[in-house]
Amino acid sequence: DSNDDTEDVSLFDADDEMPRRPKKSKIKHPIASFFHLFFRVSAVIVYLLCELFSNSYIACVVTIILLLSCDFWAVKNVTGRLMVGLRWWNQVDDDGKSHWVFEARKASPPRKKVTSEAESRIFWLGLITCPLLWVIFSFSALFSFKVKWLAVVILGVTLQGANLYGYIRCKVGSRKNLTSLATSYLGRQFLQQVLPVWFI
């Protein structure tokens, strides 16, 4: 199974050699943080308001697709690396076999911390919230019979969902680790619900 063919690679060797200057700001990468939210929020706003401001369906669709594409590229290649130290991609080896690579920056000492908690919150909040919005939009388009918008919202779910899945795999680990994490969480929840009843 090609999904289980992951490999650990060193992340950002050049970054480790550069000297770090302490910054006063909680957000160490303000431009990356801005663009992490800008493209995805802009795509949602354009989707919600485009019929009010434009009669051209094609112009609206092209604008949304461009914003979603810019968001996918920026999040996958720039903001994930800078804001949380995670990166993922697919590579094909000489035999033509596809390998997914998920990597995370090595843990650094607290005084040399490269990412900030504020950036991490911004990253994960944007990464999780917007795909959920696109899922809601897809059901809304389906049940309100706005079939012409269905392709756009499916593209939004696909692009933003792919980034969400890739970064969850980076953060948690391989699919086996993800499955065992979910199983252990559900087991803990079950025990917390059942055990208090037995000891009353």
Side-chain angles (χ1 to χ4, degrees):
D1 186 18
S2 64
N3 289 334
D4 293 329
D5 294 334
T6 60
E7 66 181 81
D8 295 326
V9 295
S10 62
L11 180 63
F12 316 110
D13 293 329
D15 287 350
D16 295 337
E17 297 169 4
M18 294 175 57
R20 301 274 179 226
R21 289 184 302 162
K23 294 186 178 182
K24 296 179 183 178
S25 173
K26 285 185 175 182
I27 297 177
K28 296 180 179 185
H29 305 99
I31 295 172
S33 299
F34 171 77
F35 282 107
H36 177 71
L37 296 175
F38 174 75
F39 291 124
R40 54 186 48 224
V41 170
S42 296
V44 168
I45 290 171
V46 169
Y47 173 76
L48 291 174
L49 302 178
C50 70
E51 287 186 324
L52 296 174
F53 296 112
S54 175
N55 293 332
S56 174
Y57 169 76
I58 300 296
C60 292
V61 169
V62 168
T63 304
I64 294 168
I65 289 172
L66 285 174
L67 288 168
L68 287 171
S69 300
C70 290
D71 171 67
F72 180 81
W73 183 87
V75 171
K76 183 180 172 303
N77 295 314
V78 179
T79 63
R81 179 177 56 87
L82 293 176
M83 295 173 72
V84 291
L86 302 172
R87 190 166 62 172
W88 65 274
W89 71 89
N90 184 338
Q91 68 185 30
V92 179
D93 63 9
D94 294 336
D95 298 331
K97 190 173 180 184
S98 178
H99 298 278
W100 288 95
V101 181
F102 303 94
E103 61 184 19
R105 187 186 322 254
K106 297 174 192 164
S108 58
R111 65 176 187 52
K112 292 182 80 177
K113 196 167 184 179
V114 178
T115 60
S116 72
E117 287 185 32
E119 283 181 337
S120 181
R121 280 191 216 111
I122 290 169
F123 180 83
W124 290 107
L125 182 68
L127 196 69
I128 294 168
T129 304
C130 288
L132 291 176
L133 287 175
W134 286 107
V135 168
I136 291 169
F137 295 156
S138 67
F139 285 116
S140 172
L142 186 64
F143 293 130
S144 64
F145 301 109
K146 294 184 178 179
V147 179
K148 68 179 185 180
W149 291 105
L150 205 52
V152 174
V153 295
I154 288 173
L155 183 67
V157 169
T158 303
L159 289 176
Q160 294 193 351
N163 264 334
L164 178 60
Y165 177 75
Y167 282 112
I168 288 174
R169 289 280 306 265
C170 289
K171 184 77 173 169
V172 175
S174 70
R175 177 175 291 207
K176 293 174 187 171
N177 291 346
L178 190 59
T179 304
S180 66
L181 181 71
T183 304
S184 66
Y185 174 76
L186 291 174
R188 280 195 311 263
Q189 292 300 319
F190 176 74
L191 288 176
Q192 288 176 354
Q193 295 296 323
V194 172
L195 288 181
V197 173
W198 288 347
F199 293 110
I200 292 179

mmCIF file of all heavy atoms in Angstrom, residues 146-182:
data_model
loop_
_atom_site.group_PDB
_atom_site.id
_atom_site.type_symbol
_atom_site.label_atom_id
_atom_site.label_comp_id
_atom_site.label_asym_id
_atom_site.label_seq_id
_atom_site.Cartn_x
_atom_site.Cartn_y
_atom_site.Cartn_z
ATOM 1 N N LYS A 146 -28.477 24.295 -6.055
ATOM 2 C CA LYS A 146 -27.553 25.187 -6.775
ATOM 3 C C LYS A 146 -26.421 24.322 -7.324
ATOM 4 O O LYS A 146 -25.273 24.412 -6.912
ATOM 5 C CB LYS A 146 -27.019 26.277 -5.857
ATOM 6 C CG LYS A 146 -28.072 27.248 -5.393
ATOM 7 C CD LYS A 146 -27.455 28.347 -4.565
ATOM 8 C CE LYS A 146 -28.511 29.340 -4.136
ATOM 9 N NZ LYS A 146 -27.944 30.404 -3.325
ATOM 10 N N VAL A 147 -26.780 23.485 -8.275
ATOM 11 C CA VAL A 147 -25.854 22.489 -8.804
ATOM 12 C C VAL A 147 -24.662 23.149 -9.492
ATOM 13 O O VAL A 147 -23.561 22.613 -9.487
ATOM 14 C CB VAL A 147 -26.603 21.538 -9.773
ATOM 15 C CG1 VAL A 147 -25.668 20.503 -10.353
ATOM 16 C CG2 VAL A 147 -27.766 20.884 -9.058
ATOM 17 N N LYS A 148 -24.861 24.348 -10.051
ATOM 18 C CA LYS A 148 -23.747 25.006 -10.741
ATOM 19 C C LYS A 148 -22.600 25.342 -9.784
ATOM 20 O O LYS A 148 -21.457 25.433 -10.205
ATOM 21 C CB LYS A 148 -24.222 26.256 -11.474
ATOM 22 C CG LYS A 148 -24.674 27.390 -10.569
ATOM 23 C CD LYS A 148 -25.114 28.594 -11.375
ATOM 24 C CE LYS A 148 -25.436 29.762 -10.482
ATOM 25 N NZ LYS A 148 -25.856 30.929 -11.239
ATOM 26 N N TRP A 149 -22.880 25.498 -8.490
ATOM 27 C CA TRP A 149 -21.837 25.811 -7.511
ATOM 28 C C TRP A 149 -21.231 24.566 -6.902
ATOM 29 O O TRP A 149 -20.246 24.646 -6.179
ATOM 30 C CB TRP A 149 -22.401 26.708 -6.411
ATOM 31 C CG TRP A 149 -22.724 28.068 -6.909
ATOM 32 C CD1 TRP A 149 -23.967 28.571 -7.167
ATOM 33 C CD2 TRP A 149 -21.799 29.089 -7.251
ATOM 34 N NE1 TRP A 149 -23.864 29.843 -7.640
ATOM 35 C CE2 TRP A 149 -22.542 30.195 -7.707
ATOM 36 C CE3 TRP A 149 -20.416 29.185 -7.222
ATOM 37 C CZ2 TRP A 149 -21.934 31.372 -8.116
ATOM 38 C CZ3 TRP A 149 -19.813 30.362 -7.635
ATOM 39 C CH2 TRP A 149 -20.582 31.435 -8.070
ATOM 40 N N LEU A 150 -21.797 23.426 -7.170
ATOM 41 C CA LEU A 150 -21.331 22.189 -6.550
ATOM 42 C C LEU A 150 -19.882 21.858 -6.920
ATOM 43 O O LEU A 150 -19.103 21.436 -6.062
ATOM 44 C CB LEU A 150 -22.256 21.032 -6.934
ATOM 45 C CG LEU A 150 -22.304 19.850 -5.994
ATOM 46 C CD1 LEU A 150 -22.572 20.294 -4.566
ATOM 47 C CD2 LEU A 150 -23.354 18.865 -6.444
ATOM 48 N N ALA A 151 -19.500 22.087 -8.163
ATOM 49 C CA ALA A 151 -18.115 21.812 -8.582
ATOM 50 C C ALA A 151 -17.125 22.692 -7.823
ATOM 51 O O ALA A 151 -16.044 22.240 -7.427
ATOM 52 C CB ALA A 151 -17.960 22.022 -10.081
ATOM 53 N N VAL A 152 -17.500 23.947 -7.595
ATOM 54 C CA VAL A 152 -16.611 24.878 -6.887
ATOM 55 C C VAL A 152 -16.450 24.460 -5.434
ATOM 56 O O VAL A 152 -15.331 24.437 -4.912
ATOM 57 C CB VAL A 152 -17.148 26.329 -6.984
ATOM 58 C CG1 VAL A 152 -16.325 27.275 -6.146
ATOM 59 C CG2 VAL A 152 -17.192 26.784 -8.426
ATOM 60 N N VAL A 153 -17.547 24.115 -4.769
ATOM 61 C CA VAL A 153 -17.434 23.752 -3.358
ATOM 62 C C VAL A 153 -16.732 22.401 -3.192
ATOM 63 O O VAL A 153 -16.010 22.206 -2.220
ATOM 64 C CB VAL A 153 -18.796 23.787 -2.622
ATOM 65 C CG1 VAL A 153 -19.339 25.187 -2.562
ATOM 66 C CG2 VAL A 153 -19.799 22.857 -3.237
ATOM 67 N N ILE A 154 -16.912 21.487 -4.141
ATOM 68 C CA ILE A 154 -16.181 20.222 -4.073
ATOM 69 C C ILE A 154 -14.689 20.465 -4.246
ATOM 70 O O ILE A 154 -13.866 19.848 -3.564
ATOM 71 C CB ILE A 154 -16.731 19.221 -5.117
ATOM 72 C CG1 ILE A 154 -18.102 18.741 -4.672
ATOM 73 C CG2 ILE A 154 -15.784 18.051 -5.310
ATOM 74 C CD1 ILE A 154 -18.827 17.890 -5.681
ATOM 75 N N LEU A 155 -14.323 21.394 -5.120
ATOM 76 C CA LEU A 155 -12.911 21.760 -5.263
ATOM 77 C C LEU A 155 -12.380 22.367 -3.963
ATOM 78 O O LEU A 155 -11.266 22.067 -3.539
ATOM 79 C CB LEU A 155 -12.720 22.737 -6.426
ATOM 80 C CG LEU A 155 -11.284 23.129 -6.710
ATOM 81 C CD1 LEU A 155 -10.494 21.936 -7.229
ATOM 82 C CD2 LEU A 155 -11.242 24.259 -7.713
ATOM 83 N N GLY A 156 -13.184 23.218 -3.303
ATOM 84 C CA GLY A 156 -12.782 23.794 -2.022
ATOM 85 C C GLY A 156 -12.571 22.727 -0.957
ATOM 86 O O GLY A 156 -11.579 22.750 -0.225
ATOM 87 N N VAL A 157 -13.504 21.770 -0.884
ATOM 88 C CA VAL A 157 -13.366 20.668 0.076
ATOM 89 C C VAL A 157 -12.120 19.850 -0.241
ATOM 90 O O VAL A 157 -11.344 19.493 0.661
ATOM 91 C CB VAL A 157 -14.625 19.767 0.053
ATOM 92 C CG1 VAL A 157 -14.388 18.485 0.827
ATOM 93 C CG2 VAL A 157 -15.825 20.501 0.602
ATOM 94 N N THR A 158 -11.887 19.580 -1.520
ATOM 95 C CA THR A 158 -10.763 18.738 -1.921
ATOM 96 C C THR A 158 -9.421 19.395 -1.625
ATOM 97 O O THR A 158 -8.547 18.780 -0.998
ATOM 98 C CB THR A 158 -10.859 18.406 -3.424
ATOM 99 O OG1 THR A 158 -12.112 17.772 -3.669
ATOM 100 C CG2 THR A 158 -9.729 17.497 -3.853
ATOM 101 N N LEU A 159 -9.234 20.632 -2.068
ATOM 102 C CA LEU A 159 -7.942 21.299 -1.876
ATOM 103 C C LEU A 159 -7.651 21.562 -0.406
ATOM 104 O O LEU A 159 -6.551 21.288 0.088
ATOM 105 C CB LEU A 159 -7.894 22.599 -2.675
ATOM 106 C CG LEU A 159 -7.804 22.449 -4.190
ATOM 107 C CD1 LEU A 159 -7.855 23.817 -4.867
ATOM 108 C CD2 LEU A 159 -6.541 21.724 -4.585
ATOM 109 N N GLN A 160 -8.631 22.093 0.302
ATOM 110 C CA GLN A 160 -8.371 22.401 1.705
ATOM 111 C C GLN A 160 -8.375 21.141 2.564
ATOM 112 O O GLN A 160 -7.652 21.053 3.552
ATOM 113 C CB GLN A 160 -9.357 23.448 2.198
ATOM 114 C CG GLN A 160 -9.111 24.765 1.487
ATOM 115 C CD GLN A 160 -9.819 25.933 2.114
ATOM 116 O OE1 GLN A 160 -10.639 25.798 3.005
ATOM 117 N NE2 GLN A 160 -9.486 27.114 1.633
ATOM 118 N N GLY A 161 -9.165 20.153 2.180
ATOM 119 C CA GLY A 161 -9.138 18.874 2.892
ATOM 120 C C GLY A 161 -7.821 18.138 2.700
ATOM 121 O O GLY A 161 -7.338 17.473 3.614
ATOM 122 N N ALA A 162 -7.229 18.258 1.510
ATOM 123 C CA ALA A 162 -5.932 17.608 1.257
ATOM 124 C C ALA A 162 -4.851 18.197 2.147
ATOM 125 O O ALA A 162 -4.030 17.464 2.716
ATOM 126 C CB ALA A 162 -5.551 17.757 -0.211
ATOM 127 N N ASN A 163 -4.837 19.521 2.278
ATOM 128 C CA ASN A 163 -3.867 20.144 3.176
ATOM 129 C C ASN A 163 -4.106 19.730 4.621
ATOM 130 O O ASN A 163 -3.166 19.433 5.361
ATOM 131 C CB ASN A 163 -3.910 21.666 3.051
ATOM 132 C CG ASN A 163 -2.863 22.197 2.112
ATOM 133 O OD1 ASN A 163 -1.830 21.584 1.905
ATOM 134 N ND2 ASN A 163 -3.124 23.343 1.538
ATOM 135 N N LEU A 164 -5.359 19.700 5.034
ATOM 136 C CA LEU A 164 -5.676 19.291 6.400
ATOM 137 C C LEU A 164 -5.202 17.856 6.653
ATOM 138 O O LEU A 164 -4.542 17.576 7.664
ATOM 139 C CB LEU A 164 -7.182 19.402 6.655
ATOM 140 C CG LEU A 164 -7.679 18.956 8.025
ATOM 141 C CD1 LEU A 164 -7.042 19.777 9.134
ATOM 142 C CD2 LEU A 164 -9.190 19.035 8.093
ATOM 143 N N TYR A 165 -5.501 16.959 5.744
ATOM 144 C CA TYR A 165 -5.074 15.565 5.890
ATOM 145 C C TYR A 165 -3.547 15.451 5.921
ATOM 146 O O TYR A 165 -2.985 14.743 6.766
ATOM 147 C CB TYR A 165 -5.650 14.722 4.748
ATOM 148 C CG TYR A 165 -5.200 13.287 4.789
ATOM 149 C CD1 TYR A 165 -5.726 12.406 5.724
ATOM 150 C CD2 TYR A 165 -4.249 12.811 3.902
ATOM 151 C CE1 TYR A 165 -5.318 11.080 5.772
ATOM 152 C CE2 TYR A 165 -3.830 11.487 3.940
ATOM 153 C CZ TYR A 165 -4.365 10.633 4.875
ATOM 154 O OH TYR A 165 -3.943 9.334 4.911
ATOM 155 N N GLY A 166 -2.867 16.155 5.014
ATOM 156 C CA GLY A 166 -1.410 16.105 4.970
ATOM 157 C C GLY A 166 -0.775 16.595 6.259
ATOM 158 O O GLY A 166 0.168 15.981 6.780
ATOM 159 N N TYR A 167 -1.289 17.687 6.803
ATOM 160 C CA TYR A 167 -0.690 18.229 8.030
ATOM 161 C C TYR A 167 -1.059 17.414 9.260
ATOM 162 O O TYR A 167 -0.272 17.338 10.207
ATOM 163 C CB TYR A 167 -1.050 19.704 8.204
ATOM 164 C CG TYR A 167 -0.210 20.555 7.310
ATOM 165 C CD1 TYR A 167 -0.755 21.238 6.230
ATOM 166 C CD2 TYR A 167 1.163 20.636 7.489
ATOM 167 C CE1 TYR A 167 0.037 21.988 5.384
ATOM 168 C CE2 TYR A 167 1.959 21.381 6.661
ATOM 169 C CZ TYR A 167 1.391 22.058 5.610
ATOM 170 O OH TYR A 167 2.180 22.790 4.773
ATOM 171 N N ILE A 168 -2.223 16.786 9.260
ATOM 172 C CA ILE A 168 -2.537 15.889 10.370
ATOM 173 C C ILE A 168 -1.587 14.695 10.341
ATOM 174 O O ILE A 168 -1.079 14.266 11.375
ATOM 175 C CB ILE A 168 -4.014 15.444 10.327
ATOM 176 C CG1 ILE A 168 -4.900 16.620 10.730
ATOM 177 C CG2 ILE A 168 -4.263 14.253 11.249
ATOM 178 C CD1 ILE A 168 -6.375 16.361 10.596
ATOM 179 N N ARG A 169 -1.323 14.171 9.135
ATOM 180 C CA ARG A 169 -0.362 13.062 9.017
ATOM 181 C C ARG A 169 1.030 13.498 9.471
ATOM 182 O O ARG A 169 1.757 12.719 10.082
ATOM 183 C CB ARG A 169 -0.304 12.543 7.583
ATOM 184 C CG ARG A 169 -1.514 11.789 7.099
ATOM 185 C CD ARG A 169 -1.578 10.349 7.556
ATOM 186 N NE ARG A 169 -0.428 9.547 7.262
ATOM 187 C CZ ARG A 169 -0.276 8.766 6.212
ATOM 188 N NH1 ARG A 169 -1.239 8.690 5.317
ATOM 189 N NH2 ARG A 169 0.816 8.063 6.048
ATOM 190 N N CYS A 170 1.420 14.725 9.150
ATOM 191 C CA CYS A 170 2.723 15.220 9.611
ATOM 192 C C CYS A 170 2.763 15.311 11.131
ATOM 193 O O CYS A 170 3.748 14.938 11.754
ATOM 194 C CB CYS A 170 3.003 16.617 9.048
ATOM 195 S SG CYS A 170 3.353 16.685 7.304
ATOM 196 N N LYS A 171 1.717 15.831 11.708
ATOM 197 C CA LYS A 171 1.676 16.063 13.145
ATOM 198 C C LYS A 171 1.577 14.752 13.932
ATOM 199 O O LYS A 171 2.266 14.552 14.914
ATOM 200 C CB LYS A 171 0.482 16.964 13.473
ATOM 201 C CG LYS A 171 0.358 17.375 14.901
ATOM 202 C CD LYS A 171 1.317 18.454 15.229
ATOM 203 C CE LYS A 171 1.051 18.977 16.623
ATOM 204 N NZ LYS A 171 2.122 19.829 17.062
ATOM 205 N N VAL A 172 0.718 13.852 13.477
ATOM 206 C CA VAL A 172 0.438 12.632 14.225
ATOM 207 C C VAL A 172 1.376 11.506 13.828
ATOM 208 O O VAL A 172 1.785 10.710 14.655
ATOM 209 C CB VAL A 172 -1.038 12.209 14.032
ATOM 210 C CG1 VAL A 172 -1.319 10.886 14.707
ATOM 211 C CG2 VAL A 172 -1.949 13.275 14.585
ATOM 212 N N GLY A 173 1.699 11.401 12.566
ATOM 213 C CA GLY A 173 2.564 10.328 12.091
ATOM 214 C C GLY A 173 1.892 9.542 10.995
ATOM 215 O O GLY A 173 1.010 10.036 10.309
ATOM 216 N N SER A 174 2.296 8.318 10.838
ATOM 217 C CA SER A 174 1.773 7.489 9.763
ATOM 218 C C SER A 174 0.324 7.095 10.032
ATOM 219 O O SER A 174 -0.216 7.335 11.098
ATOM 220 C CB SER A 174 2.618 6.233 9.600
ATOM 221 O OG SER A 174 2.419 5.391 10.710
ATOM 222 N N ARG A 175 -0.281 6.463 9.057
ATOM 223 C CA ARG A 175 -1.684 6.053 9.170
ATOM 224 C C ARG A 175 -1.874 5.104 10.347
ATOM 225 O O ARG A 175 -2.878 5.160 11.044
ATOM 226 C CB ARG A 175 -2.136 5.393 7.881
ATOM 227 C CG ARG A 175 -3.552 4.867 7.953
ATOM 228 C CD ARG A 175 -3.990 4.352 6.641
ATOM 229 N NE ARG A 175 -4.139 5.477 5.751
ATOM 230 C CZ ARG A 175 -4.958 5.496 4.724
ATOM 231 N NH1 ARG A 175 -5.675 4.437 4.456
ATOM 232 N NH2 ARG A 175 -5.044 6.543 3.945
ATOM 233 N N LYS A 176 -0.893 4.225 10.610
ATOM 234 C CA LYS A 176 -1.006 3.307 11.732
ATOM 235 C C LYS A 176 -1.064 4.084 13.043
ATOM 236 O O LYS A 176 -1.839 3.769 13.923
ATOM 237 C CB LYS A 176 0.172 2.336 11.739
ATOM 238 C CG LYS A 176 0.159 1.384 10.568
ATOM 239 C CD LYS A 176 1.411 0.543 10.534
ATOM 240 C CE LYS A 176 1.466 -0.287 9.266
ATOM 241 N NZ LYS A 176 2.733 -0.948 9.097
ATOM 242 N N ASN A 177 -0.215 5.109 13.168
ATOM 243 C CA ASN A 177 -0.230 5.927 14.376
ATOM 244 C C ASN A 177 -1.553 6.675 14.501
ATOM 245 O O ASN A 177 -2.073 6.830 15.594
ATOM 246 C CB ASN A 177 0.920 6.926 14.356
ATOM 247 C CG ASN A 177 2.256 6.251 14.504
ATOM 248 O OD1 ASN A 177 2.338 5.091 14.872
ATOM 249 N ND2 ASN A 177 3.315 6.986 14.191
ATOM 250 N N LEU A 178 -2.091 7.163 13.375
ATOM 251 C CA LEU A 178 -3.352 7.890 13.375
ATOM 252 C C LEU A 178 -4.481 6.966 13.828
ATOM 253 O O LEU A 178 -5.312 7.343 14.647
ATOM 254 C CB LEU A 178 -3.628 8.439 11.972
ATOM 255 C CG LEU A 178 -4.758 9.424 11.804
ATOM 256 C CD1 LEU A 178 -4.526 10.656 12.661
ATOM 257 C CD2 LEU A 178 -4.890 9.823 10.347
ATOM 258 N N THR A 179 -4.492 5.738 13.340
ATOM 259 C CA THR A 179 -5.513 4.772 13.729
ATOM 260 C C THR A 179 -5.393 4.418 15.199
ATOM 261 O O THR A 179 -6.393 4.374 15.910
ATOM 262 C CB THR A 179 -5.398 3.504 12.864
ATOM 263 O OG1 THR A 179 -5.479 3.883 11.495
ATOM 264 C CG2 THR A 179 -6.487 2.508 13.188
ATOM 265 N N SER A 180 -4.172 4.175 15.673
ATOM 266 C CA SER A 180 -4.000 3.815 17.082
ATOM 267 C C SER A 180 -4.342 4.995 17.988
ATOM 268 O O SER A 180 -4.887 4.794 19.067
ATOM 269 C CB SER A 180 -2.585 3.320 17.348
ATOM 270 O OG SER A 180 -1.650 4.348 17.161
ATOM 271 N N LEU A 181 -4.061 6.213 17.541
ATOM 272 C CA LEU A 181 -4.418 7.391 18.326
ATOM 273 C C LEU A 181 -5.933 7.513 18.446
ATOM 274 O O LEU A 181 -6.462 7.747 19.534
ATOM 275 C CB LEU A 181 -3.833 8.652 17.678
ATOM 276 C CG LEU A 181 -4.110 9.955 18.395
ATOM 277 C CD1 LEU A 181 -3.297 10.014 19.681
ATOM 278 C CD2 LEU A 181 -3.761 11.129 17.516
ATOM 279 N N ALA A 182 -6.640 7.329 17.337
ATOM 280 C CA ALA A 182 -8.103 7.407 17.362
ATOM 281 C C ALA A 182 -8.687 6.298 18.230
ATOM 282 O O ALA A 182 -9.617 6.526 19.011
ATOM 283 C CB ALA A 182 -8.660 7.325 15.943
#
